[in-house]
Amino acid sequence: LLVLAMADLHSAHDRYPAILALVDRALAAHRGVPALIALNGDLFERGNVVALRDGGALDLAFVEALARRAPVAFNLGNHE
C-alpha cells in the first residue's frame, strides 16, 4: 500500500497544482500498487482571505482532484 500523507496545507492554493503533479509522479512510479492519500488536518485556513471569500471552494476542488487519483482519508485539524 502506498500512502501519500500531507498535513498543514492551510489553503495553499498556489501550491495545489505542484502537489497534484507530485502525487501524479508518485502514483506513476508505483503503478499497480494500491494507494491512499491521507490529509492529516489543517487543509482549510480561516486566516486566508481567498479561502474565506470562496467558502473553501478551491480547497474542496483540490480534494476532489486528489479523489480522482486515489481514495482520500481526511482528518480534521484545528482550523476545520
Side-chain angles (χ1 to χ4, degrees), residues 3-43:
V3 177
L4 302 173
M6 300 171 228
D8 296 313
L9 294 174
H10 297 282
S11 295
H13 303 142
D14 59 332
R15 293 192 174 104
Y16 289 163
I19 293 169
L20 290 172
L22 288 170
V23 168
D24 288 341
R25 286 202 322 250
L27 294 173
H30 297 89
R31 193 169 312 277
V33 175
L36 172 72
I37 299 170
L39 297 175
N40 290 309
D42 297 343
L43 173 66

Side-chain angles (χ1 to χ4, degrees), residues 2 4 7 15 18 21 33 49 53 55-56 58 61 73-74:
L2 175 66
L4 302 173
R15 293 192 174 104
V33 175
V49 174
R53 287 184 182 162
L58 290 174
F74 183 73

